[in-house]
């Protein structure tokens, strides 16, 4: 059958998105490091000195460009093509962190990244087709059904508990706290972004969707959730190794987004047993990769008899000697 011109455009946009987003993690981290030397760190209470750092803004702009490219990719290519390519940002970010930030990427870190990517691809490739949405009101109806309202309520409660109870106690020692807030809010962001993108698509086709209050509510939710994600992602990047933050965030965000989509759009109704089992195996693979990354995140930062991946031997060390 070949590949259509629209799929080629979607592929280019998706790959470009991964490059921009993967690079943004590194550039923002560099900005956070520079701002931390002269001001209050982002992880500290009230630490927003990074807002005065050009490097951080450069990273922020790259992330925005990447997200726009990713958003545009869905207008040309199906999700089954675009979504898995988001995993490229993990590899790109981890490798750049190794060379630019000197955050050593150990062989087990590479294996963890591979497991995360394989698991995510497995889930996406066996995900059901999305429903055809013809109006933002249709999305609003899906969003206000009992199942998704319960999910939204649970997300809001979990985020509140993480922010007010666990971040003050464990934010600087447990990566899952900051990333958990970002991922939970991210799942709501994607559902709202889908609604806004549908509204824009229909508006450009001649059916103005911005005359409905539902469109503006979704827009406000997108803005609020994005600001929350940016704030706590900065704290995570300023506290933990970038090579670990990036894949863990991707895994949690992807998993929760798929869950939210299945609840809201009832994707499970069109799946057979084989697809469901395959998706469960994908989740197990992702969890395995996340665990491996968590347990080995500091292995590359200490002397070891093994040489970390992508690093060269010590200049005084004879590579022929054991």
């Amino acid at each position: 059958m070949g590949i259509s011109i629209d799929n080629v455009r979607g592929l280019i946009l998706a790959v470009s998105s991964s490059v921009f987003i993967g690079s943004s993690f590194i550039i923002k981290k560099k900005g956070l490091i520079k701002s931390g030397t002269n001001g209050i760190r982002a992880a500290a209470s009230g630490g927003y000195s990074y807002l005065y750092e050009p490097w951080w803004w450069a990273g922020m702009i790259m992330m925005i460009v990447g997200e726009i490219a990713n958003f545009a990719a869905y207008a040309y290519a199906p999700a089954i093509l675009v979504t898995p390519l988001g995993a490229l940002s993990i590899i790109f970010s981890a490798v750049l962190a190794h060379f630019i930030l000197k955050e050593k990427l150990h062989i087990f870190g590479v294996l963890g990244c591979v497991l995360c990517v394989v698991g995510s691809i497995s889930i996406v490739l066996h995900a059901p087709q999305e429903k055809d949405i013809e109006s933002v009101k249709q999305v609003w109806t899906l969003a206000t059904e009992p199942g998704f309202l319960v999910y939204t309520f649970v997300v809001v409660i979990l985020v509140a508990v993480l922010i007010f109870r666990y971040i003050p106690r464990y934010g600087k020692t447990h990566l899952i706290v900051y990333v958990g807030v970002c991922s939970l809010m991210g799942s709501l962001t994607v559902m709202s972004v889908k609604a806004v993108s549908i509204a824009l698509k229909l508006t450009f086709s001649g059916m103005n969707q911005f005359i409905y209050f539902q469109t503006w509510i979704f827009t406000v939710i997108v803005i609020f959730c994005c600001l929350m994600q940016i704030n706590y992602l900065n704290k995570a990047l300023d506290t933990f190794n970038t090579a670990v933050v990036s894949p863990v965030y991707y895994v949690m965000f992807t998993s929760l987004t798929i869950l939210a989509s299945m609840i809201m759009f009832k994707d499970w109704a069109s799946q057979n047993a084989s697809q469901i089992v395959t998706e469960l195996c994908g989740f197990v693979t992702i969890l395995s990769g996340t665990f491996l990354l968590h347990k080995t995140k500091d292995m590359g930062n200490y002397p070891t008899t093994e040489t970390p991946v992508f690093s060269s031997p010590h200049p005084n060390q004879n590579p022929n000697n054991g």
Side-chain angles (χ1 to χ4, degrees), residues 293-311:
L293 281 166
H294 236 351
K295 287 298 182 180
T296 63
K297 64 179 182 294
D298 296 322
M299 290 183 66
N301 297 325
Y302 297 99
T304 177
T305 56
E306 299 180 15
T307 302
V309 176
F310 303 124
S311 64

Side-chain angles (χ1 to χ4, degrees), residues 136 140 196 199 208-223:
V136 72
W140 179 262
V196 175
N208 186 9
Q209 299 293 302
F210 286 87
I211 60 176
Y212 304 120
F213 74 91
Q214 292 93 336
T215 302
W216 294 105
I217 291 178
F218 282 126
T219 302
V220 171
I221 293 174
V222 169
I223 295 173

Side-chain angles (χ1 to χ4, degrees), residues 250-308:
Y250 172 80
V251 169
M252 291 189 63
F253 170 76
T254 302
S255 301
L256 288 171
T257 298
I258 291 174
L259 175 62
S261 181
M262 290 183 70
I263 294 174
M264 183 170 173
F265 294 97
K266 299 178 178 61
D267 296 329
W268 49 267
S270 61
Q271 290 186 292
N272 55 41
S274 177
Q275 291 174 313
I276 294 174
V277 170
T278 303
E279 289 184 351
L280 289 176
C281 291
F283 271 111
V284 172
T285 305
I286 289 174
L287 293 176
S288 300
T290 305
F291 177 80
L292 187 60
L293 281 166
H294 236 351
K295 287 298 182 180
T296 63
K297 64 179 182 294
D298 296 322
M299 290 183 66
N301 297 325
Y302 297 99
T304 177
T305 56
E306 299 180 15
T307 302

Side-chain angles (χ1 to χ4, degrees), residues 9 13 22 38 48 52-53 86 89 114 129 135 142 152 157 165-166 177 209 220 227 241 248 271 290 301 307 313:
R9 291 171 180 169
L13 285 167
N38 301 316
Y48 296 96
Y52 300 96
E53 177 53 51
S89 63
V114 171
Q129 295 294 324
S135 169
L142 295 171
T152 302
I157 294 299
R165 180 176 177 81
Y166 288 99
V177 179
Q209 299 293 302
V220 171
L227 291 175
N241 191 307
V248 172
Q271 290 186 292
T290 305
N301 297 325
T307 302

Side-chain angles (χ1 to χ4, degrees), residues 81-159:
L81 172 64
V82 177
T83 306
L85 294 177
L88 294 177
S89 63
I90 298 176
I91 307 302
F92 200 72
S93 177
V95 174
L96 285 181
H98 178 91
F99 288 110
I100 297 178
L101 302 179
K102 307 305 179 184
E103 297 178 355
K104 302 302 180 182
L105 185 61
H106 196 274
I107 183 63
F108 291 111
V110 174
L111 180 57
C113 288
V114 171
L115 287 174
C116 292
V117 172
V118 170
S120 299
I121 292 176
S122 177
I123 291 174
V124 174
L125 289 179
H126 294 85
Q129 295 294 324
E130 295 180 348
K131 289 185 176 180
D132 292 329
I133 305 296
E134 300 177 352
S135 169
V136 72
K137 287 186 174 182
Q138 186 177 349
V139 183
W140 179 262
T141 299
L142 295 171
T144 53
E145 288 184 351
F148 191 72
L149 287 177
V150 170
Y151 175 80
T152 302
F153 177 76
V154 171
V155 166
V156 171
I157 294 299
L158 288 176
V159 167

Side-chain angles (χ1 to χ4, degrees), residues 19 32 168:
V19 172
L32 290 168

